[in-house]
Amino acid sequence: MTGRESGAPLAPIANSPVVILVRPQLADNIGACARAMANGGLFYLRLVAPRDGWPQPKAWRNSSGAHRILDELTVHETLAEAVADLHRVFATCPRPRHIIKPVLTARGAAFELREICRRGLRAGILFGPERAGLDNDDIAAADTLVRYELNPAFMSLNLAQAVMVMAYEWWTTTDPTPPRTLMTNETRVATKADLENFLSHLTDQLDACGFLRNLPKRPGMVRNIRHFFQRGEVTEQELRTLHGIVTELALGRRQMGRIEAE
Amino acid sequence: MTGRESGAPLAPIANSPVVILVRPQLADNIGACARAMANGGLFYLRLVAPRDGWPQPKAWRNSSGAHRILDELTVHETLAEAVADLHRVFATCPRPRHIIKPVLTARGAAFELREICRRGLRAGILFGPERAGLDNDDIAAADTLVRYELNPAFMSLNLAQAVMVMAYEWWTTTDPTPPRTLMTNETRVATKADLENFLSHLTDQLDACGFLRNLPKRPGMVRNIRHFFQRGEVTEQELRTLHGIVTELALGRRQMGRIEAE
C-alpha cells in the first residue's frame, strides 16, 4: 500500500472503457482516481478542463505508482471533444430530475460496459467535479446514467471512491474467483476416510482414559465430538497435528500415571 | 459531495458489522473510512492503537460530515480487546502465506455478513495499517479472510478504498434496484398503441411530402423507420414532442410551398 517512485508496470488494456473526469478540481483526487483505475484494470483517463491546469505533480504523488495512467491521459477543453471518438457514454450522477434516460446500477453498468467493449465499441464513463457533480448539459451528452446503489441518507461520495466502485465492478464482471474457498496453501482438504481415521484414534484414546466410561451416554458424546470436528473443512496437515496432540496427551497421561504409581 | 460542518444525520444501525482499523496511521484516512462507511450504511468503528493517538481533528475534517461515526468510535489497546464481544471476525488481506483459512471475495463476505447479522450475531471486519497491512497475529485472530478480486498487477489499495468496497458490497446485498431502468420522472413509457399512432402520423406525412414515393422500396423504408423508433423505450411525453415535430415540419413545408407558389 505504498507509492513507488518509478511507477507500477501498467500497460494499456485494449478497448477498456475511458474514464472522463469533467472539470476535476483537486490534483490529489485525480491521482487517487488513477490509482483506483489501476486497481480495477482501467487504463484510459481523460480530463475535461481541469480547474488548476495540467500537469500537477500532486496527482503523481497521490497515485501510489499508477504513473503511466497519468503520463498518458489526455486533456480536453470541452466534453464534446473528450467523447467525440466514443460510441457509448455513461454518466455517473446521483439523482437528476426532469430527465428521461436509462439508469443503471454500478453493477448493471459494468456488465453493459463489458458487452459494449466485447463488440469492439469504445465506451466512456463521466464523473463530475467534486463539489457540484455533472451539470445538465454534461448529463445530456450521455446515453445512459449510472446511479450507485448506496445509502440515500449519506450521498456525499468522494470522486476517487466513485471511480473505485466503478473500477471494482468492471473488474468483478470477469473475475472467476468463487465467493468462498479454503486457502490450504501446501496441504489439501482431508478426505472423509482421513477424518474417520482420526476420530477412531481419538475415540480409542478417550475410551482408554475413561472419558467415555458412561456407556448410555457414550454414543451421544461420540456424535457430538464428530459434529465439532466436521463443522469446518479440515486439512491433512491439521489432522496430522490433531493425531499428534491426541497421542502426546495420552502418552503424557500414561507417564504421569506411571510416575504416580512408583 | 461537500462536507457539512454540523455533520450528517447518521444513526446507529442495529447489529451491523463493526469496522476495525488495526494500527491506522493517518487521521485523514480514518475520516475517509468513516465517510465510506456512511456511504454503505455501516456505523460502528473501532480503532486499535492508532499511531498518532486519538482524537485527531483531521479525521472529522476529512469525513465529509460522517461525524457521528467518529464521535462514537471506540479506541482499543489490543486487537484481542477490540474483538472480545464479537462472534465472527473477518480480516481483509491481500495474499497471506502458510495459512489455512476460508477466503471470501468481498461480495461473498458481504453475503455472509448479512447472514451472520440476521442470526443476531455480531461481526467485525479488520483492516490493516496503510503501509504493512495486517500481520500474522492479526490474521490468526480472524475466522475468515476477505481477499478483494482486483487487478493482481496493481495491488496498492488505499485504506479508505478498501473500506469503501466492503461498505458498497454490504449495502448492495439488500439493495433491490434493478440493474437497468428507464428514468421517466413525470411521464410514462408509451404503449405500443401510442407508438403505432405516431408511426401512422409520420408515415402519412412522409407519403404526403413524397419521401416514400418509391413504391417498391416503400415497405422496407417504413420498416427501417419503425426499427429506429422502437430501439429505445419511448415515453408518452417524447411521443407528444415527436408528433409536434412532424406536424410543424409538415406545416412549415406546406407554407413554404405556398410562399413559393405565390
Side-chain angles (χ1 to χ4, degrees):
Chain A
M1 301 206 181
T2 58
R4 276 157 285 187
E5 285 311 299
S6 55
L10 295 168
I13 300 149
N15 212 31
S16 56
V18 177
V19 169
I20 301 165
L21 305 183
V22 181
R23 302 181 299 279
Q25 300 177 300
L26 302 169
D28 270 350
N29 276 343
I30 298 170
C33 286
R35 181 179 183 178
M37 288 171 63
N39 287 140
L42 295 172
F43 185 83
Y44 303 104
L45 181 57
R46 297 179 183 178
L47 308 182
V48 176
R51 187 190 64 184
D52 301 331
W54 192 258
Q56 295 277 342
K58 261 189 169 178
W60 274 260
R61 282 202 298 275
N62 208 35
S63 74
S64 196
H67 294 177
R68 198 163 162 204
I69 290 174
L70 297 171
D71 296 340
E72 301 198 13
L73 68 71
T74 55
V75 180
H76 305 264
E77 280 186 34
T78 64
L79 177 56
E81 187 194 309
V83 301
D85 63 330
L86 303 179
H87 300 99
R88 279 285 291 281
V89 176
F90 289 42
T92 57
C93 60
R95 39 181 166 187
R97 298 182 187 281
H98 312 302
I99 283 175
I100 298 168
K101 233 185 241 302
V103 184
L104 302 174
T105 61
R107 192 157 304 163
F111 279 98
E112 294 206 8
L113 285 168
R114 281 282 173 200
E115 280 177 34
I116 293 163
C117 293
R118 271 195 210 103
R119 290 165 60 201
L121 302 175
R122 296 214 77 189
I125 318 159
L126 311 183
F127 294 87
E130 289 88 337
R131 195 156 284 273
L134 296 169
D135 68 24
N136 286 342
D137 285 337
D138 301 328
I139 291 172
D143 304 303
T144 307
L145 304 183
V146 184
R147 196 161 47 167
Y148 290 4
E149 51 285 42
L150 282 169
N151 185 5
F154 190 87
M155 298 292 284
S156 168
L157 187 65
N158 169 267
L159 176 56
Q161 300 281 40
V163 171
M164 182 72 221
V165 167
M166 201 62 241
Y168 166 74
E169 285 286 8
W170 165 256
W171 184 269
T172 308
T173 50
T174 57
D175 185 84
T177 315
R180 171 184 268 266
T181 52
L182 183 70
M183 181 190 296
T184 54
N185 283 307
E186 299 80 5
T187 183
R188 290 181 306 179
V189 174
T191 63
K192 288 299 172 196
D194 294 332
L195 180 65
E196 210 55 45
N197 186 26
F198 166 71
L199 289 171
S200 299
H201 178 195
L202 178 62
T203 312
D204 289 350
Q205 292 298 335
L206 294 179
D207 276 325
C209 75
F211 184 80
L212 297 172
R213 63 181 168 270
N214 186 332
L215 289 181
K217 288 195 174 172
R218 187 180 181 284
M221 291 173 77
V222 170
R223 258 198 312 277
N224 287 346
I225 292 167
R226 173 187 292 279
H227 283 316
F228 171 75
F229 283 102
Q230 282 194 321
R231 192 156 313 140
E233 289 175 298
V234 63
T235 65
E236 294 174 353
Q237 179 190 304
E238 287 164 339
L239 280 184
R240 283 194 296 276
T241 304
L242 289 169
H243 274 293
I245 287 172
V246 171
T247 302
E248 290 295 315
L249 285 174
L251 186 69
R253 191 174 190 286
R254 281 199 295 276
Q255 288 175 338
M256 286 269 288
R258 220 172 293 145
I259 290 160
E260 278 166 18
E262 279 169 8
Chain B
M1 304 208 178
T2 58
R4 276 157 286 183
E5 284 313 298
S6 55
L10 295 168
I13 299 148
N15 212 31
S16 55
V18 177
V19 169
I20 301 164
L21 304 183
V22 181
R23 301 182 298 282
Q25 300 178 299
L26 301 169
D28 270 351
N29 277 342
I30 298 170
C33 286
R35 181 180 183 177
M37 289 172 62
N39 288 140
L42 296 171
F43 185 82
Y44 302 105
L45 181 57
R46 297 178 184 180
L47 307 182
V48 177
R51 187 189 66 184
D52 300 333
W54 192 259
Q56 294 278 341
K58 259 189 169 179
W60 274 261
R61 281 202 298 274
N62 209 35
S63 74
S64 196
H67 295 176
R68 198 165 162 201
I69 290 176
L70 298 170
D71 295 342
E72 302 199 12
L73 67 73
T74 55
V75 180
H76 305 266
E77 279 185 33
T78 64
L79 177 55
E81 186 194 309
V83 302
D85 64 330
L86 303 180
H87 301 99
R88 281 286 292 281
V89 176
F90 289 41
T92 56
C93 61
R95 39 183 166 185
R97 299 183 186 282
H98 312 300
I99 283 175
I100 298 168
K101 232 183 242 305
V103 184
L104 302 174
T105 62
R107 192 159 302 164
F111 279 99
E112 294 206 7
L113 285 168
R114 280 281 173 200
E115 281 177 34
I116 294 163
C117 294
R118 270 194 211 106
R119 290 165 59 202
L121 302 175
R122 293 213 79 187
I125 318 159
L126 312 183
F127 294 88
E130 289 88 336
R131 195 158 286 272
L134 296 170
D135 69 23
N136 286 342
D137 286 336
D138 301 329
I139 291 171
D143 305 303
T144 308
L145 305 182
V146 184
R147 196 160 47 169
Y148 290 4
E149 52 285 40
L150 282 169
N151 185 5
F154 190 88
M155 298 291 285
S156 167
L157 187 65
N158 170 267
L159 176 56
Q161 300 280 40
V163 171
M164 183 72 221
V165 166
M166 200 62 241
Y168 166 75
E169 285 287 8
W170 164 257
W171 184 269
T172 308
T173 51
T174 56
D175 186 86
T177 314
R180 172 183 268 267
T181 52
L182 183 70
M183 180 191 296
T184 54
N185 283 306
E186 298 80 6
T187 182
R188 291 181 305 179
V189 173
T191 62
K192 289 299 173 194
D194 294 333
L195 180 64
E196 210 55 43
N197 185 24
F198 166 71
L199 288 172
S200 298
H201 177 196
L202 177 61
T203 312
D204 289 349
Q205 292 298 335
L206 293 179
D207 275 325
C209 75
F211 183 79
L212 297 173
R213 64 182 166 270
N214 186 331
L215 287 182
K217 289 196 174 170
R218 187 181 180 283
M221 291 173 77
V222 169
R223 258 197 313 277
N224 287 345
I225 292 167
R226 171 185 294 277
H227 283 317
F228 171 74
F229 283 102
Q230 281 194 322
R231 192 158 310 139
E233 289 176 298
V234 63
T235 65
E236 294 174 351
Q237 178 190 307
E238 286 164 337
L239 280 184
R240 283 194 296 276
T241 305
L242 289 169
H243 274 293
I245 288 171
V246 170
T247 302
E248 289 295 315
L249 285 173
L251 185 69
R253 191 172 191 288
R254 280 200 297 277
Q255 289 175 336
M256 286 270 286
R258 219 171 293 143
I259 290 160
E260 277 166 17
E262 278 169 6

